[in-house]
Amino acid sequence: MTGQGGGFLLAVWLVRAKTRQRRPARLGRSESTEDHLERIQELVDRKGYARVTDTAAALGLSRSAVSNMVRRLAQRGFVNYERYRGFTLTPAGRQVAQHIKARHKILSEMFEMLGLDAATVEQEVEDIEHHLRPQTLATFSKLVSFWREQPDQLRAFLRYSKRR
């Protein structure tokens, strides 16, 4: 296409290219990596260690899939792993898991404050937690803190939202 139509298509392509470039990077951590680290930390908190079988059950995955991921996490320095034994997180793995847990807590608290039921909260958090930019999460954290400090503002918003 020539003339203005071609310019329009180029503009659309540039906007799409910029949008793709702005997607959040999680330092090479996939959703699966984050989910595994989160569940491993939960198991370690409860039992002192994690096993492939327990992790697989917690994630609803096969033992072989979890075993492969645990080996990859160990290669990347996130997991202390010895074959046929329990495993724990390294300091780097614990740091990532703590970040994931804090992110999960902020989102859960915000959705609970908004009056969503527990099942909805859990599903929404699982659906979006891996896709937020750090600045978005920081803003949500400020909003949760604001509502904790200013419960009248939260109540006013909830009243407003019921009228809509």
Side-chain angles (χ1 to χ4, degrees):
M1 201 172 227
T2 59
Q4 296 227 332
F8 173 76
L9 292 176
L10 177 61
V12 168
W13 181 85
L14 288 172
V15 168
R16 286 183 180 158
K18 274 187 169 183
T19 303
R20 281 193 297 274
Q21 291 172 355
R22 287 193 211 146
R23 287 191 179 137
R26 292 181 304 273
L27 304 172
R29 294 189 315 256
S30 66
E31 288 181 40
S32 180
T33 296
E34 290 188 352
D35 286 341
H36 278 75
L37 291 171
E38 185 178 19
R39 293 305 172 272
I40 291 167
Q41 185 61 53
E42 289 170 359
L43 290 165
V44 169
D45 288 346
R46 269 188 300 212
K47 298 170 54 170
Y49 63 93
R51 295 180 316 156
V52 168
T53 303
D54 299 329
T55 307
L59 291 168
L61 299 172
S62 71
R63 290 189 311 266
S64 64
V66 171
S67 183
N68 289 334
M69 176 59 89
V70 169
R71 279 195 294 276
R72 287 194 305 271
L73 292 173
Q75 290 170 348
R76 293 177 62 198
F78 291 131
V79 173
N80 298 310
Y81 173 70
E82 255 183 79
R83 198 170 178 172
Y84 305 118
R85 294 184 179 249
F87 47 90
T88 58
L89 296 178
T90 64
R94 279 193 303 276
Q95 183 178 12
V96 171
Q98 288 169 350
H99 169 75
I100 295 164
K101 185 177 181 178
R103 179 179 67 196
H104 195 102
K105 183 178 185 277
I106 289 166
L107 292 171
S108 295
E109 191 170 352
M110 183 178 74
F111 291 146
E112 288 165 2
M113 289 174 139
L114 291 170
L116 298 174
D117 64 87
T120 301
V121 168
E122 191 58 33
Q123 188 59 53
E124 293 296 339
V125 170
E126 289 301 319
D127 286 348
I128 70 168
E129 71 178 334
H130 302 287
H131 303 284
L132 294 175
R133 290 183 174 84
Q135 57 269 44
T136 303
L137 187 63
T139 300
F140 286 165
S141 181
K142 290 175 192 172
L143 182 60
V144 167
S145 294
F146 175 76
W147 282 341
R148 265 194 247 118
E149 292 175 18
Q150 304 288 329
D152 291 341
Q153 297 296 319
L154 173 59
R155 284 191 289 275
F157 172 75
L158 292 173
R159 281 192 306 274
Y160 170 82
S161 101
K162 282 183 182 178
R163 291 192 318 256
R164 296 278 170 197

